[in-house]
Amino acid sequence: MKRACKNILVVNAGSSSIKYQLIDMITELPLSSGIVERIGLKEGTLIHKTFIEGVENKIVETFPIPNHTVGLERVAELLTDKKIGVIADPSEIKAVGHRVVHGGEAFTKTVEINNDIKAKVKELFPLAPLHNPANLTGIEVAEKVFPNAVQIAVFDTAFHQTIPDVAYRYAIPAELYENMGIRKYGFHGTSHKFVSQKAIEYLGKSDTKIITIHIGNGASMAAVKNGVCVDTSMGLGPLNGLIMGTRSGDIDPSIIFYLVEQKGYSIEEVSTLLNKKSGMVGLTGDTDMRDIESRVIKGDAIAELSYKMYAYRIKQYIGNYAAAMNGLDAIVFTAGIGENDSIIRNLVCENMNYFGLELNGEKNKIRTSKIREINNEGAKTKILVIPTNEELEIARQSFELIK
Ligand code: ADP
């Protein structure tokens, strides 16, 4: 019997890159994944992987990729290639799920894309000038390359649209919110949604107070009460909140005025400083936690201090969100650092017994890609490690819409 094909292509388009994953929604496993990089430069690269019956195959191509269309057309050729293809024809892709970073207040859920939706995504360019234009390019290119597929937009901000005004408003003149939309939006919503739902399934009850801690290159936390997001640490943009690989997270805004007015920095320089040269790289010179961790092990004092600062900020937000929800059932660690870095998890949880957090040292060290509980038996609050899968969440939401 011929199996009904239920394939969703997930596309995450950046200004010079396209990340993609083709997911078979019957098994919820990827058939293929890859990245087109250095679009617009002299030589572009395409790394394309296929997964056939558990066997991974990888090819790397280098060729001029002047624009996103050329890149995605090559992806379509590879996906349908006679020898290495995973599908016979592009029409076997039922929908393309696009990651769109900023949905403003207009989008509270995943939507099928039409001209109105594209116009709204464009209206939101000023709120996400680095991301939304690239996301829209991805949509327009996919419409050309996969004309038979339904195009769907999944917004990073949508999960956070349930945050109440008391948490999303800033105490600045009201007209800045009313006329300019300046408020907290939050990001990484797809990941916070995915792992909080997994945690709810794991806990076996829906009336739960959960804090999700997404710590990868970018980092944010969310307070999720009864499955609904009630607060998050990023704001109008992604600079707020936790200390990140290259972003400062929370700082006193006076620092900006001091640098501009007293030290002659331009606004562009301050922006680069806070977005690209701060956080862990600003403190230690290294971005990757694995490099900083090996320095901690060697007794490097600044590496140790930066680790403690990183964990301290997370502790502060746990207190913040436990207060906002008036309780706490579980905290969830996820993304590159959350899933892998046992030292950070230990630093975050130590001396937090007031919140019912009791980390089990042995369980914390176990490495697996499965969901796991790392608290002591009988502890009041669960400490969970849950691998995130933003691509699968985008595919699920897209599939849900076309079913
Ligand atoms: P992105 O935000 O780009 O999706 P990821 O969630 O993949 O990032 O996280 C990437 C980061 O995770 C790396 O920069 C690194 O600091 C960290 N990381 C990955 N593996 C480990 C590990 N084994 N131990 C500590 N940190 C890790």
Side-chain angles (χ1 to χ4, degrees), residues 39-54:
I39 296 171
L41 299 180
K42 227 169 162 192
E43 288 288 3
T45 49
L46 197 168
I47 301 170
H48 180 80
K49 290 183 187 168
T50 57
F51 310 94
I52 301 169
E53 284 161 10

Side-chain angles (χ1 to χ4, degrees), residues 102-164:
H102 219 305
E105 287 188 324
F107 298 107
T108 56
K109 55 181 186 348
T110 292
V111 291
E112 188 175 329
I113 296 167
N114 56 30
N115 285 339
D116 280 354
I117 301 288
K118 283 191 278 181
K120 279 194 190 137
V121 168
K122 210 168 182 176
E123 274 170 33
L124 292 164
F125 279 6
L127 285 177
L130 298 179
H131 292 99
N132 272 31
N135 300 154
L136 185 62
T137 303
I139 291 169
E140 287 172 342
V141 167
E143 284 174 335
K144 273 191 275 174
V145 180
F146 302 102
N148 298 319
V150 182
Q151 306 291 328
I152 289 169
V154 182
F155 298 91
D156 254 31
T157 48
F159 182 59
H160 303 305
Q161 275 297 302
T162 47
I163 293 175

Side-chain angles (χ1 to χ4, degrees), residues 19 188 214-219 287-291 293 307 334-342 367 388 390:
K19 284 191 205 144
H188 295 138
H214 174 110
I215 39 180
N217 278 323
T287 325
D288 196 299
M289 278 306 217
R290 285 163 287 202
D291 299 329
E293 186 182 329
Y307 246 74
T334 194
I337 297 165
E339 290 166 32
N340 296 299
D341 194 326
S342 56
R367 285 185 162 270
T388 194
E390 287 160 287

Side-chain angles (χ1 to χ4, degrees), residues 89-318:
D89 190 87
S91 64
E92 286 179 31
I93 294 171
K94 296 293 158 201
V96 182
H98 295 269
R99 176 191 182 212
V100 181
V101 164
H102 219 305
E105 287 188 324
F107 298 107
T108 56
K109 55 181 186 348
T110 292
V111 291
E112 188 175 329
I113 296 167
N114 56 30
N115 285 339
D116 280 354
I117 301 288
K118 283 191 278 181
K120 279 194 190 137
V121 168
K122 210 168 182 176
E123 274 170 33
L124 292 164
F125 279 6
L127 285 177
L130 298 179
H131 292 99
N132 272 31
N135 300 154
L136 185 62
T137 303
I139 291 169
E140 287 172 342
V141 167
E143 284 174 335
K144 273 191 275 174
V145 180
F146 302 102
N148 298 319
V150 182
Q151 306 291 328
I152 289 169
V154 182
F155 298 91
D156 254 31
T157 48
F159 182 59
H160 303 305
Q161 275 297 302
T162 47
I163 293 175
D165 50 5
V166 67
Y168 74 65
R169 287 289 296 273
Y170 294 118
I172 53 178
E175 63 190 332
L176 268 64
Y177 168 63
E178 285 151 12
N179 301 333
M180 301 179 199
I182 296 180
R183 52 159 284 180
K184 175 187 288 188
Y185 290 99
F187 301 90
H188 295 138
T190 311
S191 175
H192 288 294
K193 182 172 184 193
F194 182 82
V195 297
S196 61
Q197 283 178 346
K198 285 250 175 211
I200 289 168
E201 278 166 34
Y202 182 84
L203 297 172
K205 55 177 187 169
S206 57
D207 55 335
T208 46
K209 294 168 179 171
I210 296 169
I211 296 174
T212 47
I213 307 168
H214 174 110
I215 39 180
N217 278 323
S220 68
M221 286 170 62
V224 184
K225 192 174 176 183
N226 305 337
V228 170
C229 184
V230 294
D231 207 348
T232 193
S233 60
M234 283 179 169
L236 174 77
L239 195 49
N240 205 63
L242 303 183
I243 295 174
M244 310 181 207
T246 65
R247 297 188 193 116
S248 63
D250 294 339
I251 57 160
D252 176 353
S254 315
I255 295 169
I256 298 170
F257 308 122
Y258 183 77
L259 289 173
V260 173
E261 289 164 3
Q262 307 300 328
K263 298 290 170 191
Y265 279 62
S266 70
I267 284 297
E268 288 75 16
E269 281 168 338
V270 177
S271 171
T272 307
L273 186 93
L274 297 179
N275 278 297
K276 304 226 162 90
K277 296 183 176 173
S278 292
M280 295 309 261
V281 79
L283 288 166
T284 69
D286 276 317
T287 325
D288 196 299
M289 278 306 217
R290 285 163 287 202
D291 299 329
I292 304 168
E293 186 182 329
S294 45
R295 286 170 57 182
V296 171
I297 292 163
K298 286 186 202 137
D300 180 327
I302 186 64
E304 200 173 314
L305 172 66
S306 66
Y307 246 74
K308 284 184 182 158
M309 288 170 66
Y310 190 95
Y312 182 67
R313 184 72 54 83
I314 298 172
K315 277 171 179 283
Q316 289 179 303
Y317 272 92
I318 291 176

